[in-house]
Amino acid sequence: MSAYLQKLNEKYVSRTPHMRAIGATVTAVDKGRGTMKLPARPDWLGDPVRGVLHPGALTVLADSACGLAVGAALDTPVPYATLDLRMDYLRPAVPERDVFCEAECFRLSRNVAFVRAEVWQDDRADPTAAAQGTFMLSTAPGTRPPAPGAVAAPQERPAENAAAALPPWSAPDGSAPIELERPVPYVEFLGIRSSPTPQGTLYRMPYQEKLIGNPRLPALHGGVVAGFGETAALLSLIERLKGEKFPKSIDFSIDYLRSGRPEETFADCEIVRIGARVALVQVRCWQKNPGYPIAVMRGHFLLTERDAI
């Protein structure tokens, strides 16, 4: 590894708890481009029946590589954050092999960066997933003076005040580990639990320091929030299907509404449609109040017959 890449890994990876926890590394960087590697690890197993990698691990890698590409495209460094990310899963990935992702920031406007990426394992020409996302750019300090006579925009209320204005909500007192026919290592890695409610199962991700993606705020890694939401969608389908069929991710998209703070995160799911072969699920994630979500998501899932696995 070159001295430049080593320095970049120290800055971009070593200081970020979640990046350290998963062992991700930056392997290449150029103007508007970045490549990262997620090392093989049993924790990334998401489907013990098929023996394939959890799609959430791919999303974490793609979100990280896309952010790297945005940073590499900027002439003047400014803060930026993911607005939305879409994952298309092209073929299964396995946890026994390293995973790579190359991202390209192909359009950079004054306020928004547009990024696309590909994820692969053994063969760069045979990708396992494709991603596309947008990032909101903050204005560099001192570069945009107020126009003469301009009226300052009202400041957004802090999350605590905005959430307090909603009807009171408190999390159920108890929670339990996810119970499946076979343990799912990635679910255990995130620490996901569940609580029954009159409205259905509530999924919970207790806070762990290793889930932090932005240590300055601090805030949860965007890929972790997406991985949690996608896991909730899969678990809700497994619960509904009762073993008659098994869901497999086709695509998943997430819109980030605000940063996930270092506290427990919750998710509920709406199964919009279950067809003969495909299901559509919508997910909402929040922390302080379900009326004040931090992200909303939707995904399509292929339904496979038990005897076809």
Side-chain angles (χ1 to χ4, degrees):
M1 180 180 294
S2 68
Y4 174 71
L5 283 178
Q6 184 174 355
K7 184 177 180 179
L8 187 60
N9 274 290
E10 291 174 358
K11 180 179 180 180
Y12 189 65
V13 175
S14 299
R15 300 177 187 178
T16 305
H18 189 64
M19 304 286 274
R20 291 199 308 269
I22 65 176
T25 55
V26 178
T27 60
V29 68
D30 202 347
K31 182 65 175 178
R33 289 180 175 270
T35 304
M36 296 189 68
K37 179 180 79 171
L38 179 68
R41 184 163 158 178
D43 285 334
W44 311 151
L45 180 64
D47 188 336
V49 177
R50 300 182 180 92
V52 299
L53 185 144
H54 193 289
L58 300 179
T59 305
V60 168
L61 179 63
D63 184 53
S64 302
C66 287
L68 175 65
V70 172
L74 296 170
D75 294 323
T76 302
V78 297
Y80 54 91
T82 317
L83 280 176
D84 61 54
L85 183 71
R86 174 188 168 97
M87 298 290 297
D88 292 296
Y89 303 107
L90 309 180
R91 65 188 73 257
V94 295
E96 297 83 10
R97 300 190 184 98
D98 296 342
V99 187
F100 300 87
C101 179
E102 181 181 23
E104 174 196 10
C105 180
F106 62 91
R107 172 80 172 96
L108 189 66
S109 71
R110 183 184 181 91
N111 299 302
V112 181
F114 300 86
V115 191
R116 56 190 167 219
E118 285 191 340
V119 181
W120 73 95
Q121 288 192 299
D122 296 326
D123 186 355
R124 175 69 176 81
D126 190 25
T128 61
Q132 185 150 330
T134 56
F135 288 71
M136 188 71 192
L137 308 178
S138 297
T139 303
T143 61
R144 186 184 294 180
V151 178
Q155 296 295 312
E156 183 180 355
R157 292 178 299 175
E160 292 77 7
N161 294 339
L166 296 167
W169 181 83
S170 58
D173 292 332
S175 66
I178 301 299
E179 294 186 3
L180 297 169
E181 289 184 16
R182 303 183 189 181
V184 177
Y186 191 73
V187 172
E188 297 176 352
F189 176 78
L190 294 183
I192 298 174
R193 301 175 68 85
S194 66
S195 296
T197 72
Q199 294 74 36
T201 301
L202 177 67
Y203 297 99
R204 315 173 65 149
M205 183 173 66
Y207 170 67
Q208 302 176 72
E209 197 267 344
K210 70 179 181 180
L211 305 181
I212 291 293
N214 185 335
R216 292 184 178 181
L217 289 178
L220 301 179
H221 193 293
V224 166
V225 176
F228 169 50
E230 188 162 7
T231 300
L234 287 162
L235 292 173
S236 69
L237 283 173
I238 290 172
E239 181 180 2
R240 174 73 71 84
L241 296 169
K242 301 184 184 303
E244 295 179 3
K245 294 183 179 181
F246 291 90
K248 174 185 175 184
S249 296
I250 299 174
D251 60 56
F252 199 74
S253 59
I254 175 170
D255 292 292
Y256 296 95
L257 308 180
R258 50 188 55 88
S259 298
R261 298 302 183 180
E263 54 192 77
E264 186 172 22
T265 306
F266 305 89
D268 62 11
C269 304
E270 177 191 0
I271 299 177
V272 179
R273 180 177 185 274
I274 294 184
R277 300 180 62 192
V278 176
L280 172 63
V281 183
Q282 295 183 158
V283 185
R284 176 180 52 173
C285 289
W286 72 90
Q287 292 182 319
K288 297 185 178 301
N289 193 295
Y292 195 75
I294 64 172
V296 291
M297 316 168 203
R298 69 191 299 270
H300 289 97
F301 300 86
L302 182 67
L303 306 181
T304 306
E305 299 288 347
R306 175 183 284 270
D307 56 7
I309 297 177

